[in-house]
Amino acid sequence: MSSLFESYDLAGLPLSNRIVMAPMTRARAHDTVPSADMATYYAQRASAGLIITESAQVSQQGRGYLHTPGIHTDAQIEGWKRVTDAVHRAGGRLFIQLWHVGRVSHVSLLDGHSPVSAVAVTAAQTLVHAYDSAGKPAQVAASLPVALDANGIRQVIADFRQAALNAMAAGFDGVEIHAGNGFLFEQFINGGLNTREDRYGGTLISNRLRLLLETVDEISAQIGHDRVGVRVSPFARLADLHPFEDEQATWLALAGALSQRRIAYLHASHLGDPDFHKAFRAAFDGSFVLSGGFGAETARQAIDEGLTDLAVFGRPFIANPDLVNRLRFGWPLAEAGREAFYGGGARGYVDYPVYSGEGVDPQWVPA
Ligand SMILES: Cc1cc2nc3c(=O)[nH]c(=O)nc-3n(C[C@H](O)[C@H](O)[C@H](O)COP(=O)(O)O)c2cc1C
């Protein structure tokens, strides 16, 4: 049997296979509280070795889109409990992705406050789903942020710490810190954007990594380093982030620093060229998790060639709740309609059936 379907020990957490469901924002939390449909959706996909949930904002300030869930109020924690209970009852494991969007936000989502970032520079050509001037939901340009001061930075770290504690209270198996896709941590890591002159920015790589590493340390001290994952997307160029000096060295230094901290895993996408991928993977001595464009064969190859330990599938999980069995038995995959990716209700969310091909018993598992 392919390595993809073998069990895996993730820092002491037993996973039934090496297939991970990618974090995917689906924007179904209409009042920022995880809904009953969300519990159904994740439980339907619990045969994944590990589910990483959609991003959940750690604070009101960290919010960047309408209808995304939070993990900072009692009601949100209660909502997530329904999700973790349902997934655990179905035999699955799940980490929650902790999120602060930084400057990728809009004043209409922040009670009129400005978004925050490393520096006061707007993310150009970046749209967020918020409210227009008439108060109607719309795609609007990201607002001008303010640069976080020392107190503001301390507060962000405290918000992540509290969110991680909330996640454990809600029954998660761990947390993944979202340090990719152009959001707050990447705004600090990117040397082109982060021209701060204090300990949290500028030309020194260690300064630009400081916010993320202090957050990792703070969360690890609370819930254990073996319950913390980190996601990065080094060359994704999202939300108006561009190439910068020492770019590869910056990411390699981060992999090394996270390796020393013995976190549960490092999750990466957009690693660019194969040589960099190998160097990045080699710099991190721990479980490596890779995202982006996998099918059964390419995922098996990536594991067998040592490019990753776990293979993350995103879009295929949307329309195939039984993706693991479909990959295992070579059953056809259903296609998801893009129109249902973000927002809406149960349609295009919890109504995708498991495969029921002629003469095939979906419960059947080879000896
Ligand atoms: C609808 C949708 C929402 C996503 N939301 C998130 C998210 O909340 N956090 C994140 O880190 N990545 C997010 N991603 C990226 C996925 O985690 C994944 O890296 C990407 O889909 C590539 O994998 P795939 O080719 O298997 O789909 C999202 C992708 C999609 C399609």
Side-chain angles (χ1 to χ4, degrees):
M1 208 201 299
S2 157
S3 54
L4 203 48
F5 305 104
E6 282 169 9
S7 57
Y8 187 79
D9 180 334
L10 184 69
L13 185 71
L15 309 184
S16 56
N17 56 63
R18 296 185 186 220
I19 295 170
V20 176
M21 178 175 162
M24 282 185 292
T25 291
R26 303 298 309 279
R28 256 75 174 191
H30 297 292
D31 43 9
T32 76
V33 174
S35 62
D37 275 353
M38 285 171 62
T40 305
Y41 165 75
Y42 284 113
Q44 287 171 339
R45 288 153 182 78
S47 55
L50 178 70
I51 290 171
I52 305 168
T53 72
E54 65 206 281
S55 301
Q57 57 264 10
V58 298
S59 60
Q60 170 73 18
Q61 182 196 65
R63 181 181 186 210
Y65 300 84
L66 283 171
H67 311 313
T68 59
I71 178 76
H72 55 94
T73 70
D74 289 344
Q76 292 161 353
I77 296 169
E78 288 308 309
W80 282 118
K81 273 185 189 160
R82 286 197 291 214
V83 174
T84 61
D85 279 352
V87 169
H88 285 149
R89 255 187 280 118
R93 308 280 187 190
L94 74 174
F95 274 42
I96 183 173
Q97 191 181 56
L98 300 183
W99 195 28
H100 190 308
V101 298
R103 66 179 184 160
V104 186
S105 188
H106 188 260
V107 288
S108 66
L109 294 175
L110 304 174
D111 297 332
H113 295 290
S114 298
V116 299
S117 186
V119 290
V121 176
T122 306
Q125 279 154 19
T126 301
L127 294 178
V128 296
H129 192 214
Y131 297 104
D132 63 17
S133 52
K136 294 223 171 62
Q139 298 291 333
V140 295
S143 304
L144 171 68
V146 295
L148 281 164
D149 63 14
N151 281 336
I153 285 180
R154 268 195 293 277
Q155 187 59 49
V156 166
I157 296 171
D159 289 341
F160 269 91
R161 178 187 54 217
Q162 188 57 50
L165 288 169
N166 294 347
M168 298 322 273
F172 282 98
D173 297 300
V175 304
E176 174 176 292
I177 300 172
H178 195 352
N181 295 5
F183 297 119
L184 182 70
F185 291 111
E186 203 181 343
Q187 293 158 29
F188 273 78
I189 292 169
N190 187 293
L193 179 67
N194 183 357
T195 53
R196 295 173 70 97
E197 289 176 352
D198 64 359
R199 303 167 64 240
Y200 291 93
T203 49
L204 261 188
I205 290 174
S206 56
N207 279 355
R208 284 184 275 111
L209 299 182
R210 192 180 307 281
L211 175 63
L212 174 57
L213 293 177
E214 286 187 358
T215 304
V216 169
D217 289 342
E218 195 68 40
I219 293 180
S220 297
Q222 298 296 327
I223 70 170
H225 55 91
D226 49 353
R227 290 289 162 263
V228 183
V230 171
R231 181 172 197 179
V232 295
S233 56
F235 302 100
R237 314 271 180 244
L238 293 170
D240 199 28
L241 290 183
H242 303 281
F244 57 97
E245 214 174 296
D246 288 339
E247 191 166 20
Q248 294 205 358
T250 298
W251 295 110
L252 292 173
L254 177 61
L258 293 173
S259 189
Q260 281 172 8
R261 285 164 169 79
R262 311 208 63 75
I263 58 170
Y265 65 83
L266 177 56
H267 177 183
S269 66
H270 300 87
L271 284 175
D273 71 77
D275 286 344
F276 177 76
H277 181 148
K278 286 199 184 107
F280 188 71
R281 203 236 170 295
F284 181 76
D285 181 19
S287 292
F288 199 75
V289 179
L290 189 62
S291 255
F294 279 130
E297 189 48 31
T298 50
R300 186 191 61 72
Q301 257 176 24
I303 290 174
D304 291 350
E305 288 170 13
L307 295 175
T308 192
D309 295 306
L310 302 177
V312 182
F313 290 77
R315 286 158 295 176
F317 261 113
I318 292 181
N320 301 281
D322 54 341
L323 182 67
V324 173
N325 269 349
R326 293 195 196 212
L327 297 177
R328 191 196 304 254
F329 303 125
W331 298 338
L333 297 189
E335 283 286 323
R338 274 195 69 85
E339 63 286 352
F341 276 16
Y342 304 104
R347 210 161 149 259
Y349 189 53
V350 292
D351 55 354
Y352 291 107
V354 296
Y355 183 65
S356 59
E358 281 279 341
V360 177
D361 174 6
Q363 301 305 316
W364 181 79
V365 175

